[in-house]
Amino acid sequence: MPPLTRIVLVGPPGAGKGTQATRLAGKLSVPHISTGDLFRANISRQTALGKRAKVFMDAGHLVPDELTIEMAKDRMRQPDAENGFLLDGFPRNVWQAEALDELLKTEASKLDAVLDLEIPEGEIIKRIAGRRICRSRSAHVFHVSYSPPRKRGVCDVCGDELYQRDDDSEETVRKRLEVYYTQTEPIIEYYKMQGLAVTISSLGSVDEVTRRALEALKREDDDE
């Protein structure tokens, strides 16, 4: 059987989704398509879609579903995505998942798998709330548990102060998780009903999680 190449990656904040998306896309030789990159690229190129998205982003609002879908459709039709893609951050709710299904039908295509990165809530909070960033322009990153600086609150590289970003506070992390549980997590059940979702643990080293993901995708392929 051919390898799985049309994949959606799902996971809560702190699950390492961005890191794994980049690694898996490279190993599968497909483009990594993230909503954040889509928004930035369209805004940078001043496309019609980008101009519309910028209005919402400048006002601090989420980009509407319809606009997100249009950007994703445009990106998936690019030549490098002809043989597959890895979607990261899209779909973010069931309505978008349904719209993606309809979009792929019009392209005579379909998803191969939905990879769900599972991680305990306590570990998510520990990972994100423990991050400390250097105030220098280089913004070196440390972690109070996993990669602490030699001297508390001081960057090993340049000696500048380390601080916790507002969006890394435990309170903010819990709010982000609530949004995930309410809006995004339901798509996992939606895809399970289609037999597409496979869940793996995102605990462990980056390499371990990547191996776990590739093995899960291979099993899904073997089950076809």
Side-chain angles (χ1 to χ4, degrees):
M1 296 292 294
L4 303 177
T5 57
R6 291 176 175 82
I7 300 165
V8 167
L9 189 61
V10 182
K17 190 158 54 72
T19 298
Q20 292 303 325
T22 300
R23 290 167 67 93
L24 292 171
K27 290 181 179 296
L28 297 170
S29 300
V30 297
H32 167 206
I33 301 175
S34 77
T35 49
D37 290 344
L38 284 178
F39 297 157
R40 285 187 289 271
N42 277 273
I43 290 171
S44 175
R45 299 200 311 269
Q46 296 187 352
T47 66
L49 292 173
K51 290 176 181 177
R52 289 166 57 196
K54 190 173 187 298
V55 173
F56 292 96
M57 295 172 72
D58 286 349
H61 301 311
L62 288 175
V63 176
D65 287 345
E66 295 84 352
L67 189 49
T68 302
I69 291 164
E70 283 299 312
M71 286 189 182
K73 178 170 68 174
D74 179 68
R75 180 64 185 87
M76 287 188 289
R77 286 177 172 169
Q78 298 302 312
D80 66 333
E82 183 177 355
N83 295 316
F85 47 76
L86 191 150
L87 295 175
D88 167 18
F90 174 80
R92 68 169 180 242
N93 56 47
V94 172
W95 192 89
Q96 287 188 1
E98 293 171 342
L100 176 61
D101 284 348
E102 291 302 313
L103 169 62
L104 291 174
K105 283 181 184 177
T106 65
E107 304 289 326
S109 182
K110 65 181 182 65
L111 287 177
D112 292 322
V114 175
L115 186 62
D116 168 35
L117 300 183
E118 187 176 65
I119 180 172
E121 184 173 302
E123 178 64 19
I124 292 171
I125 294 170
K126 183 178 180 181
R127 284 185 180 186
I128 299 178
R131 281 196 299 231
R132 297 295 183 269
I133 315 295
C134 176
R135 289 194 183 278
S136 73
R137 291 180 62 184
S138 300
H140 304 108
V141 181
F142 295 83
H143 193 282
V144 296
S145 299
Y146 304 128
S147 55
R150 289 189 294 270
K151 183 177 179 181
R152 184 176 179 179
V154 179
C155 176
D156 290 350
V157 181
C158 64
D160 274 5
E161 177 190 10
L162 298 177
Y163 74 104
Q164 183 186 53
R165 298 186 309 184
D166 290 341
D167 58 351
D168 283 347
S169 71
E170 182 172 338
E171 180 183 3
T172 302
V173 174
R174 290 190 182 278
K175 288 179 180 177
R176 291 169 61 193
L177 284 172
E178 186 59 36
V179 171
Y180 174 79
Y181 296 145
T182 302
Q183 295 187 13
T184 304
E185 193 173 54
I187 74 173
I188 299 170
E189 186 62 31
Y190 173 82
Y191 284 122
K192 279 183 179 179
M193 293 176 65
Q194 298 182 37
L196 291 174
V198 55
T199 300
I200 67 164
S201 170
S202 64
L203 294 175
S205 70
V206 171
D207 286 342
E208 287 171 342
V209 177
T210 301
R211 284 196 297 271
R212 208 173 289 148
L214 291 171
E215 288 170 2
L217 292 174
K218 184 176 185 300
R219 282 202 301 272
E220 287 294 292
D221 188 39
D222 289 343
D223 288 342
E224 292 293 324

Coordinates of all heavy atoms in Angstrom, one line a residue, residues 17-18 21 31-40 75 86-90:
K17 N 2.9 19.6 19.2 CA 2.3 19.4 17.9 C 3.1 20.1 16.8 O 3.3 19.5 15.7 CB 0.9 20.0 17.9 CG 0.0 19.7 16.7 CD -1.5 19.8 17.0 CE -1.8 21.1 17.6 NZ -1.8 22.2 16.6
G18 N 3.6 21.3 17.0 CA 4.3 22.0 16.0 C 5.6 21.3 15.6 O 6.0 21.2 14.5
A21 N 4.8 18.1 13.8 CA 4.3 18.3 12.4 C 5.4 18.6 11.5 O 5.5 18.0 10.4 CB 3.4 19.6 12.5
P31 N 4.2 18.8 2.4 CA 4.3 20.1 3.1 C 3.5 20.1 4.4 O 2.5 19.5 4.6 CB 3.6 21.0 2.1 CG 2.7 20.2 1.3 CD 3.4 18.8 1.2
H32 N 4.1 20.8 5.4 CA 3.5 21.1 6.7 C 2.6 22.3 6.5 O 3.2 23.4 6.3 CB 4.5 21.3 7.7 CG 4.1 21.8 9.0 ND1 4.9 22.5 9.9 CD2 2.8 21.8 9.6 CE1 4.2 22.9 11.0 NE2 2.9 22.4 10.8
I33 N 1.3 22.2 6.6 CA 0.4 23.3 6.4 C -0.2 23.7 7.8 O -1.0 23.0 8.3 CB -0.7 23.0 5.4 CG1 -0.1 22.6 4.0 CG2 -1.6 24.2 5.2 CD1 -1.1 22.2 3.0
S34 N 0.2 24.8 8.3 CA -0.3 25.3 9.6 C -1.1 26.6 9.4 O -0.8 27.4 8.5 CB 0.8 25.5 10.6 OG 1.5 26.8 10.4
T35 N -2.2 26.8 10.2 CA -3.0 28.0 10.0 C -2.2 29.2 10.3 O -2.3 30.2 9.6 CB -4.2 27.9 10.9 OG1 -3.8 27.6 12.3 CG2 -5.2 26.9 10.4
G36 N -1.3 29.2 11.3 CA -0.5 30.3 11.6 C 0.4 30.7 10.4 O 0.5 31.9 10.1
D37 N 1.0 29.8 9.8 CA 1.9 30.0 8.6 C 1.0 30.6 7.4 O 1.4 31.4 6.7 CB 2.6 28.8 8.1 CG 3.7 28.4 9.1 OD1 4.1 29.2 9.9 OD2 4.2 27.2 9.0
L38 N -0.2 30.0 7.3 CA -1.1 30.4 6.2 C -1.5 31.9 6.4 O -1.4 32.7 5.4 CB -2.4 29.6 6.2 CG -2.3 28.2 5.6 CD1 -3.7 27.6 5.8 CD2 -1.9 28.3 4.2
F39 N -1.8 32.3 7.6 CA -2.2 33.7 7.9 C -1.0 34.6 7.6 O -1.2 35.6 6.9 CB -2.6 33.8 9.3 CG -3.9 33.1 9.7 CD1 -4.1 32.7 11.0 CD2 -4.8 32.7 8.7 CE1 -5.3 32.0 11.3 CE2 -5.9 31.9 9.0 CZ -6.2 31.6 10.4
R40 N 0.2 34.2 8.1 CA 1.3 35.1 8.0 C 1.7 35.2 6.5 O 2.1 36.3 6.0 CB 2.5 34.6 8.8 CG 2.4 34.8 10.3 CD 3.6 34.4 11.0 NE 3.8 33.0 11.1 CZ 3.3 32.2 12.0 NH1 2.6 32.7 13.0 NH2 3.5 30.9 12.0
R75 N -4.0 26.7 -0.3 CA -2.7 26.1 -0.1 C -2.7 24.7 -0.5 O -1.7 24.2 -1.1 CB -2.4 26.2 1.4 CG -1.1 25.6 1.8 CD 0.1 26.4 1.2 NE 1.4 25.8 1.5 CZ 1.9 24.8 0.8 NH1 1.3 24.3 -0.3 NH2 3.1 24.3 1.1
L86 N 0.3 17.7 5.5 CA 0.1 17.5 6.9 C -0.6 18.8 7.4 O 0.1 19.8 7.5 CB 1.3 17.1 7.6 CG 1.1 16.6 9.1 CD1 2.2 15.6 9.5 CD2 1.1 17.8 10.1
L87 N -1.8 18.7 7.9 CA -2.5 19.9 8.4 C -2.3 20.0 9.9 O -2.5 19.1 10.6 CB -4.0 19.8 8.0 CG -4.4 19.8 6.6 CD1 -5.9 19.5 6.4 CD2 -4.0 21.1 5.9
D88 N -2.0 21.2 10.3 CA -1.7 21.5 11.7 C -2.5 22.8 12.1 O -2.2 23.8 11.6 CB -0.2 21.7 11.8 CG 0.2 22.3 13.2 OD1 -0.6 22.3 14.1 OD2 1.4 22.8 13.2
G89 N -3.4 22.6 13.0 CA -4.2 23.8 13.4 C -5.5 23.9 12.6 O -6.3 24.8 12.8
F90 N -5.7 23.1 11.6 CA -6.9 23.0 10.8 C -7.2 21.6 10.4 O -6.3 20.9 10.0 CB -6.7 23.8 9.5 CG -7.8 23.8 8.5 CD1 -9.0 24.5 8.7 CD2 -7.8 22.9 7.5 CE1 -10.0 24.4 7.8 CE2 -8.9 22.8 6.6 CZ -10.0 23.6 6.8

